[in-house]
Amino acid sequence: MGMLDNYINERSNREPEFAKAIQEESANLEAAVAVRELRDSLKMSQRSFAKLVGKPQSTIARIENGSMNVSIGLLGQIAQLSNKELDITFR
């Protein structure tokens, strides 16, 4: 475990609010990577992918850069319209 991981773990143990923020950001980044990998697997630009899923290109960009709190509903729509299944797991 690196220094950053140690810092996050120690601070999360002391500060529940920090732990919650880290968890939310982690979920945003996981969604960002998943959407980007899906789009790349379809060999589509952000613009063409956005058109496929009926969203503005700026929404796809915000999802992919992790700056948007993407909902399960939106991820479900993206999965359905790209003929994929959405799989959510608890770890």
Side-chain angles (χ1 to χ4, degrees):
M1 204 182 280
M3 287 176 52
L4 180 58
D5 291 325
N6 287 336
Y7 172 80
I8 290 171
N9 286 336
E10 289 173 11
R11 187 166 172 195
S12 292
N13 289 333
R14 289 190 318 267
E15 302 174 36
E17 300 84 20
F18 180 81
K20 182 180 177 185
I22 289 294
Q23 188 175 25
E24 288 173 3
E25 286 305 313
S26 178
N28 285 342
L29 292 175
E30 285 183 34
V33 169
V35 170
R36 175 63 188 259
E37 287 178 349
L38 171 59
R39 183 174 63 78
D40 285 348
S41 75
L42 297 172
K43 299 181 180 0
M44 299 179 93
S45 67
Q46 280 186 351
R47 185 175 307 281
S48 59
F49 185 72
K51 187 173 183 179
L52 173 74
V53 300
K55 300 296 175 196
Q57 181 272 330
S58 60
T59 297
I60 302 304
R62 287 193 331 269
I63 293 170
E64 289 185 1
N65 70 29
S67 66
M68 181 176 172
N69 289 329
V70 63
S71 70
I72 300 298
L74 178 54
L75 291 175
Q77 288 175 349
I78 290 170
Q80 181 182 20
L81 293 167
S82 59
N83 295 316
K84 301 293 180 182
E85 291 183 18
L86 178 61
D87 181 28
I88 300 169
T89 59
F90 291 99
R91 290 179 259 153

